């Protein structure tokens, strides 16, 4: 009986493949009994779908690189933050099957969820344009994976994150707002705004929650009048059953702020915000706190498939066989070719040796540059 108090695996349990699906352990027992545990193979990770326009952001490669470090395999991958499409190999592993067989579960887990979060963030980023998008989703998921969620959200295009642990570990920007609890304990929006402004470091943006006790247009004015020189934004977190037309409500708040001389105060929306909401609100809203649409975004359903055994092509039905190269073409598009096919002029290989220390800031910038190309649609 375990004496652990939280339902999460330790680093050691992951490295020791204790999180593997049972059939991988049984497979290795069989291969060892037959003397085949070191059979050389070449495997690829790709996402298979019949929708040729589907796109996703590759994330989670930092953890894969750390897991495979020291193993007798050659691993190559696209740079983290690359936006890829169906059937494109994002990671290849070559070596004795037994060296990585029991890590398949963890490899796919690292990639599928992190890529899903990063893709959810990228879609919100694309919808919001230049307006800030903040990751608010850590509370919707198990706390053990909070750093992964926040890192993936930032990589995918979020401007800031909400959890200090992610900030400390990865050096990514944190944001500051306040919860309903502070307003409830202090008794008013104005008192909460003043207390926040008095205590919290000046570099933290003063984004004041305004809908705890007050009608939004009055709460906005209370917050602005309480700290007129330092307030950055008012946050509307109005419950869905009370907000009616959220866009119209924001227009009302904007009107009152402007006519009372607070044109500099931004409007920040949170609570059930997703891509469709952002597109609807974007002409009146200035920033977004996004929770479940990022943290609980659909995972990217990668599969890891062997395509070569003992130097011979061997792949399962439904899989495009043989070793492949993923090329970046001069026009920015991707092309998959057989490994032994000639490379078109001006093309270059996207698959490179894994780098566990690649800065997340570089991956985020890569995502933003690709989104700005106009190649990707919601």
């Amino acid at each position: 009986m375990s004496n652990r108090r939280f339902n999460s695996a330790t680093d050691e349990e992951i490295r020791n493949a204790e999180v593997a699906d049972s059939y991988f352990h049984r497979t290795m027992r069989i291969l060892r009994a037959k003397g085949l545990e070191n059979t050389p193979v070449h495997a690829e990770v790709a996402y298979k779908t019949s929708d040729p326009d589907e796109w996703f952001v590759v994330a989670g490669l930092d953890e894969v690189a750390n897991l495979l470090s020291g193993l007798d395999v050659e691993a190559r991958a696209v740079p983290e933050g690359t936006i890829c499409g169906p059937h494109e190999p994002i990671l290849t592993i070559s070596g004795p099957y037994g060296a990585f067989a029991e890590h398949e579960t963890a490899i796919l887990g690292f990639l599928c969820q992190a890529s899903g979060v990063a893709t959810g963030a990228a879609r919100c980023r694309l919808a919001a344009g230049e307006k800030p998008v903040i990751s608010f989703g850590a509370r919707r998921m198990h706390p053990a994976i909070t750093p992964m969620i926040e890192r993936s959200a930032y990589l995918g295009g979020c401007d800031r994150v909400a959890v200090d642990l992610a900030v400390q570990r990865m050096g990514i920007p944190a944001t500051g707002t306040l919860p309903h609890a502070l307003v409830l304990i202090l008794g008013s929006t104005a008192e909460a705004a003043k207390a926040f402004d008095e205590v919290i470091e000046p570099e933290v943006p003063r984004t004041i929650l305004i809908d705890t006790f007050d009608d939004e247009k009055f709460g906005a004015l209370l917050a602005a009048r309480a700290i007129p020189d330092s307030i950055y934004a008012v946050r509307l977190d109005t419950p869905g059953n009370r907000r009616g037309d959220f866009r119209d409500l924001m227009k009302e708040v904007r009107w009152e702020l402007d006519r009372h001389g607070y044109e500099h105060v931004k409007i920040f929306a949170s609570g059930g915000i997703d891509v469709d909401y952002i597109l609807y609100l974007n002409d009146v809203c200035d920033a977004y706190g996004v929770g479940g649409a990022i943290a609980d975004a659909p995972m990217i359903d990668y599969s890891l498939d062997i395509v070569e055994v003992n130097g011979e092509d061997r792949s399962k039905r439904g899989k495009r066989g043989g070793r492949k190269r993923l090329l970046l073409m001069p026009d920015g598009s991707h092309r998959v070719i057989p490994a032994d096919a000639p490379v078109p002029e001006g093309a270059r290989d996207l698959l490179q040796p894994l780098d566990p220390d690649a800065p997340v800031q570089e991956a985020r910038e890569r995502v933003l540059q690709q989104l700005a190309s106009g190649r990707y649609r919601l």
Side-chain angles (χ1 to χ4, degrees):
M1 189 74 176
S2 172
N3 61 359
R4 300 216 29 180
R5 295 293 182 261
F6 302 113
N7 295 320
S8 54
T10 64
D11 285 12
E12 183 179 7
E13 288 167 334
I14 295 171
R15 286 191 178 280
N16 292 338
E18 294 176 54
V19 296
D21 293 299
S22 296
Y23 65 7
F24 289 119
H25 296 313
R26 297 188 188 111
T27 294
M28 288 311 302
R29 286 175 56 196
I30 294 166
L31 292 177
R32 290 186 188 106
K34 298 295 183 179
L36 297 173
E37 67 271 23
N38 291 322
T39 301
V41 303
H42 180 80
E44 298 173 344
V45 174
Y47 174 48
K48 293 178 287 188
T49 177
S50 57
D51 182 357
D53 297 322
E54 195 162 348
W55 57 269
F56 54 88
V57 176
V58 177
L61 287 169
D62 60 321
E63 294 186 299
V64 173
N66 283 312
L67 181 63
L68 296 180
S69 177
L71 301 184
D72 184 23
V73 297
E74 179 188 5
R76 301 176 72 83
V78 299
E80 199 171 32
T82 301
I83 299 180
C84 289
H87 305 290
E88 296 181 0
I90 61 122
L91 169 69
T92 64
I93 305 174
S94 299
Y97 182 60
F100 69 92
E102 291 164 296
H103 288 309
E104 179 173 332
T105 305
I107 290 169
L108 289 175
F110 287 146
L111 294 172
C112 292
Q113 189 167 22
S115 295
V117 173
T119 303
R123 289 176 56 80
C124 290
R125 169 83 282 143
L126 198 58
E130 297 299 316
K131 296 184 176 181
V133 177
I134 316 300
S135 170
F136 269 18
R139 67 174 58 189
R140 304 298 178 220
M141 306 300 285
H142 196 290
I145 60 171
T146 293
M148 181 280 294
I149 291 171
E150 298 289 57
R151 179 184 186 275
S152 301
Y154 179 67
L155 183 156
C158 282
D159 296 277
R160 294 177 179 269
V161 300
V163 175
D164 285 342
L165 180 61
V167 174
Q168 295 161 8
R169 283 195 186 179
M170 291 170 276
I172 57 182
T175 191
T177 182
L178 53 87
H180 291 287
L182 182 63
V183 184
L184 290 166
I185 290 170
L186 293 181
S188 75
T189 297
E191 288 303 313
K194 292 175 188 175
F196 190 99
D197 197 41
E198 290 169 4
V199 174
I200 303 303
E201 299 80 6
E203 63 268 20
V204 177
R206 272 57 177 150
T207 299
I208 307 303
L209 184 64
I210 60 170
D211 55 19
T212 305
F213 295 121
D214 310 296
D215 179 273
E216 287 77 5
K217 70 177 183 180
F218 297 122
L221 293 174
L222 288 169
R225 287 167 176 158
I227 51 172
D229 297 326
S230 57
I231 188 169
Y232 168 73
V234 293
R235 177 161 74 95
L236 279 68
D237 192 57
T238 312
N241 65 332
R242 297 183 64 86
R243 65 176 50 162
D245 187 327
F246 207 19
R247 183 168 173 270
D248 193 53
L249 183 60
M250 287 184 182
K251 285 186 172 183
E252 183 178 295
V253 170
R254 179 77 274 158
W255 173 269
E256 295 299 333
L257 286 170
D258 289 353
R259 79 185 188 93
H260 286 88
Y262 299 112
E263 295 91 346
H264 65 288
V265 178
K266 308 292 186 185
I267 294 180
F268 185 115
S270 61
I273 303 298
D274 58 15
V275 166
D276 290 338
Y277 238 142
I278 292 172
L279 292 172
Y280 181 61
L281 298 175
N282 218 26
D283 67 331
V284 64
C285 189
D286 300 301
Y288 303 94
V290 184
I294 291 176
D296 193 31
M299 58 89 181
I300 305 302
D301 194 13
Y302 298 117
S303 60
L304 188 156
D305 295 303
I306 292 172
V307 296
E308 183 182 283
V309 178
N310 276 321
E312 298 179 357
D313 284 0
R314 193 177 299 175
S315 55
K316 69 179 185 182
R317 295 172 60 194
K319 173 69 181 178
R320 298 178 181 183
R323 290 191 185 220
K324 303 168 192 70
R325 297 172 76 171
L326 178 59
L327 304 178
L328 178 63
M329 305 303 291
D331 66 356
S333 64
H334 295 178
R335 184 181 300 179
V336 181
I337 64 171
D340 56 0
V343 176
E345 184 178 355
R348 63 180 180 86
D349 281 300
L350 271 171
L351 295 169
Q352 304 293 328
L354 275 174
D355 180 3
D357 299 317
V360 68
Q361 290 82 2
E362 288 185 7
R364 179 178 183 273
E365 186 59 32
R366 186 173 294 116
V367 172
L368 296 180
Q369 289 175 359
Q370 291 167 99
L371 293 177
S373 71
R375 187 179 296 276
Y376 304 99
R377 297 284 184 268
L378 293 171

